[in-house]
Amino acid sequence: MTTRIPHWIDGRPYSGTSGRTAPVRNPATGAQTGEVLLANAADAEFAVARAAAAAREWRTSSLSRRAAVLFAFRELLHARTGELAELITAEHGKVLADAVGEIQRGLENIEFATGVPHLLKGSFSEQAATGVDVHSTRQPLGVVAGITPFNFPAMVPLWMCGNALACGNAFLLKPSEKDPSASLFLARLWQEAGLPDGVFSVLQGDREAVDILLRHPEVRAISFVGSTPVARAVYRTGTAHDKRVQALGGAKNHALVLPDADVPMAADAIVSAAYGAAGERCMALSVAVAVGDETADALVAAIAARIPRLKVGDGSEPGTDMGPLITEEHRDRVAGYIAAGAEQGAEVVVDGRTADVPAGGYFLGATLLDRVTPEMTVYTDEIFGPVLSVVRVRSYEEGLALVNGHQYANGTAVFTRDGGAARRFQNEVEVGMVGINVPIPVPVAYHSFGGWRASLFGDAHMYGPEGITFCTRGKVVTTRWPDPASSSVDLGFPRTR
């Protein structure tokens, strides 16, 4: 028997009016476990209207009350992390430890947002002119919508909603229809934490729902994470309708391995970053750039030796290292890239298509391709699967040019023992997030997340200080309380001297 997964509007489950649904499956077995309701235009209009009404009340709440709700939510989610992790694994397929880690990284953003009384202090200038004071504040926008991907059904919504709610906005979440249950879990926790009804809503759906959010005048800001073609379209449509938009797109993250690197350590890090969550991470390392054939030979051998130790299976089973991909179609698409790489001249060192994997689910083993060149599709495209390409270069300069020349510029890493080389790389590389011997350089919550070039559309990175700025707008107030007896008409331009 399958479960019907509804919307969450005005503090309660909502069935909507569309009658449309989409299947929800367990990727480890292929079995359908639920069906999610898909919004139509009327459902989306209703969700926005209720969120807008709730936002008008929530913005008047005190900073201390908002912080108290965030603290309560943090405690509830911390206590129920295991329950949510099991739900994520059942619909996404990632191993339980990875699901727990996702929730913990999301909680860091809630913890940052609990500091909203400090974050929204504003500034004050006394006596900016004779008898004149000036102060600045940041005020909420109204309704902020989040459109989130399947690969992090808890963490990415938590990246977005904590700051939005702390700043006094209502938050309307449109999660992926592939693993939608985590969004309802979060909605119920927000209600239990004391958040007023309507301030956090969930609109299940597909493109029809997204189109309404991008055009609706009451939706003042859009946060999006997904593929680059969709991110570009979201940015263009949203900004054309006068919205503030941050749209995070695709990635092709490179690891530059220098000749002096600790190869065993680099191999451990690269295997973890390339194949964790079956490579379905925007921060996954998908290209290892090895400087010199000696470095490349050692690195390829070390990675190839580690791959057979990875246990591929149901993410809910103890000892599993890598779960399935999200759908059968995506699994087949990734397998097609492996075939294309071989046809275009890459050396298939380890072929995930022939790996010993469980039957029934959407499994693919870890794949290692050597002697990949920049014109191959396995290099140019975001594969979003457990495929690692090794590109051989002759020098640091050639490797740097390769990283800087790619259309994507989300994250990168360098492996070296040389501090001078590392410092040079962090200054010269044109990528938004950089790791020095750190394979997945996701910033902590009090910094901000985002790439460059085709990996980000918009000016604001996500969460952290830039997230606070994105979720608010500035206002400057100039005040004078003169003696009425000295008041007079002055038609000149205001002066401060």
Side-chain angles (χ1 to χ4, degrees):
M1 183 174 179
T2 60
T3 302
R4 286 177 67 85
I5 303 166
H7 316 284
W8 181 272
I9 298 173
D10 226 11
R12 60 189 61 85
Y14 176 71
S15 297
T17 61
S18 76
R20 296 190 304 126
T21 63
V24 177
R25 302 183 185 278
N26 183 338
T29 65
Q32 182 174 345
T33 58
E35 58 178 10
V36 60
L37 305 180
L38 301 178
N40 59 14
D43 298 332
E45 291 278 357
F46 176 66
V48 174
R50 300 313 304 151
R56 287 190 284 272
E57 294 295 324
W58 179 241
R59 68 167 292 157
T60 66
S61 61
S62 68
L63 296 178
S64 58
R65 183 190 177 197
R66 296 180 209 166
V69 171
L70 287 159
F71 273 114
F73 176 83
R74 188 265 178 202
E75 292 304 303
L76 289 167
L77 184 52
H78 179 73
R80 298 180 66 181
T81 290
E83 186 180 343
L84 178 55
E86 291 177 357
L87 191 62
I88 292 170
T89 294
E91 290 187 351
H92 175 278
K94 65 177 64 178
V95 300
L96 274 172
D98 199 24
V100 169
E102 165 185 349
I103 298 164
Q104 290 173 340
R105 289 308 299 266
L107 270 170
E108 292 177 11
N109 290 272
I110 300 300
E111 290 163 355
F112 173 81
T114 60
V116 65
H118 171 75
L119 297 169
L120 291 183
K121 281 195 304 184
S123 61
F124 185 90
S125 296
E126 185 179 30
Q127 203 72 353
T130 303
V132 175
D133 302 327
V134 179
H135 72 272
S136 63
T137 64
R138 299 206 66 84
Q139 297 186 334
L141 303 174
V143 178
V144 175
I147 303 168
T148 57
F150 73 84
N151 58 329
F152 288 104
M155 185 181 74
V156 173
L158 292 171
W159 279 4
M160 299 175 179
C161 71
N163 283 348
L165 297 173
C167 291
N169 301 286
F171 185 77
L172 178 54
L173 172 62
K174 205 302 287 183
S176 170
E177 62 273 26
K178 296 181 177 66
D179 45 7
S181 294
S183 60
L184 295 182
F185 191 99
L186 295 177
R188 291 187 172 94
L189 288 193
W190 279 116
Q191 185 178 62
E192 190 175 344
L195 191 71
D197 291 345
V199 179
F200 183 96
S201 304
V202 177
L203 183 69
Q204 311 283 10
D206 50 16
R207 182 171 180 173
E208 185 172 346
V210 171
D211 285 345
I212 296 295
L213 297 181
L214 292 177
R215 292 171 168 81
H216 200 292
E218 288 280 12
V219 177
R220 303 298 171 82
I222 298 280
S223 289
F224 172 87
V225 176
S227 69
T228 285
V230 180
R232 183 181 285 111
V234 165
Y235 179 76
R236 289 175 175 171
T237 303
T239 53
H241 288 80
D242 302 322
K243 302 188 190 311
R244 185 174 293 185
V245 181
Q246 52 181 188
L248 277 63
K252 196 74 175 181
N253 304 316
H254 297 65
L256 182 63
V257 183
L258 301 185
D260 71 319
D262 182 330
V263 169
M265 185 197 79
D268 286 339
I270 291 170
V271 167
S272 298
Y275 304 123
E280 292 176 325
R281 294 171 174 161
C282 67
M283 289 297 287
L285 279 180
S286 52
V287 181
V289 182
V291 178
D293 282 335
E294 184 176 345
T295 305
D297 291 342
L299 183 65
V300 169
I303 293 172
R306 285 159 171 76
I307 289 176
R309 304 174 198 165
L310 302 178
K311 180 183 177 183
V312 180
D314 190 324
S316 64
E317 295 179 358
T320 300
D321 297 302
M322 193 174 85
L325 278 78
I326 188 66
T327 63
E328 182 178 17
E329 293 78 12
H330 185 55
R331 190 263 322 269
D332 294 345
R333 175 179 175 272
V334 175
Y337 271 107
I338 300 170
E343 292 170 3
Q344 293 167 16
E347 178 186 341
V348 183
V349 180
V350 180
D351 193 338
R353 297 170 297 176
T354 61
D356 182 17
V357 298
Y362 312 136
F363 294 98
L364 188 68
T367 294
L368 176 62
L369 304 176
D370 190 13
R371 303 184 187 279
V372 171
T373 55
E375 71 277 1
M376 297 179 182
T377 55
V378 291
Y379 177 77
T380 59
D381 295 0
E382 182 184 33
I383 299 175
F384 223 61
V387 179
L388 174 66
S389 298
V390 177
V391 178
R392 297 172 178 239
V393 295
R394 293 180 296 267
S395 65
Y396 164 87
E397 289 77 12
E398 186 181 345
L400 178 70
L402 196 70
V403 178
N404 288 347
H406 203 282
Q407 65 167 322
Y408 297 124
N410 201 47
T412 189
V414 63
F415 290 91
T416 180
R417 291 185 175 97
D418 187 332
R423 188 173 188 276
R424 180 181 174 188
F425 180 78
Q426 74 184 36
N427 289 331
E428 295 179 341
V429 74
E430 297 171 2
V431 174
M433 294 170 284
V434 182
I436 309 298
N437 296 314
V438 174
I440 305 178
V442 177
V444 292
Y446 39 89
H447 290 271
S448 297
F449 180 102
W452 293 4
R453 294 198 292 278
S455 293
L456 173 69
F457 299 88
D459 296 326
H461 289 178
M462 198 162 287
Y463 69 73
E466 292 189 49
I468 295 292
T469 302
F470 179 78
C471 292
T472 56
R473 53 187 169 187
K475 178 180 287 185
V476 180
V477 180
T478 303
T479 306
R480 180 175 64 179
W481 299 105
D483 181 345
S486 64
S487 178
S488 64
V489 174
D490 182 354
L491 300 184
F493 192 83
R495 292 172 291 180
T496 58
R497 294 183 180 88

